[in-house]
Amino acid sequence: MTSQAITRAPIIQKRSPWGGWWLILITLGIYYFVWYHKINAELAAVTGKPQSGWAQWWSQIIPFYGLVGLHHTAVRLGDAIQSHGSADKVSPGIAWFWAPIWFGSHQRYLQRRMNLLGNLIASRATA
């Protein structure tokens, strides 16, 4: 009997964009750092690239460095989505400029795109 290594597609955990937004509000912002760490860890698994300093949760505490981190996360997420055959794009400008001004909606914006990436990966795994 031969043993074969089973390779699995990286798992993207689907999260409710609004549920995460409410958790951030209820926990007075603490859950945001947990969420940021999780999506960047999932993106690192999908892309195969290690997390840089800007992808760590603590980068979001540093004023301008946090915006750079959001920009890089949005770019990496957009690249991952397009590498899985989708024409959908992720705008770094929305992620780091408009969305934080609009009631902190950058978390909802990026989480919707993460859910899309999860769907793309799942559909490829079953095909």
Side-chain angles (χ1 to χ4, degrees):
M1 181 175 260
T2 16
S3 65
Q4 294 178 336
I6 299 174
T7 58
R8 294 186 172 182
I11 296 175
I12 300 291
Q13 182 179 355
K14 290 187 181 177
R15 298 175 186 90
S16 166
W18 279 101
W21 187 82
W22 280 107
L23 274 173
I24 291 168
L25 187 67
I26 291 169
T27 63
L28 303 176
I30 301 295
Y31 180 71
Y32 175 76
F33 302 113
V34 173
W35 171 82
Y36 189 79
H37 170 75
K38 286 182 179 184
I39 67 162
N40 276 293
E42 291 168 3
L43 281 172
V46 168
T47 61
K49 297 177 184 173
Q51 293 183 22
S52 299
W54 52 262
Q56 304 297 327
W57 69 268
W58 49 262
S59 72
Q60 295 302 290
I61 297 171
I62 304 168
F64 293 106
Y65 194 61
L67 295 177
V68 171
L70 273 176
H71 176 85
H72 285 292
T73 298
V75 168
R76 192 163 67 158
L77 177 55
D79 291 345
I81 288 171
Q82 290 182 346
S83 74
H84 282 84
S86 177
D88 289 317
K89 297 183 181 196
V90 178
S91 169
I94 290 175
W96 68 265
F97 183 71
W98 290 113
I101 295 170
W102 188 250
F103 303 106
S105 63
H106 59 293
Q107 178 271 336
R108 294 190 315 262
Y109 176 74
L110 292 175
Q111 187 58 55
R112 281 189 209 104
R113 279 24 178 219
M114 285 295 291
N115 291 346
L116 171 66
L117 179 59
N119 290 341
L120 292 168
I121 291 172
S123 69
R124 276 206 166 165
T126 58

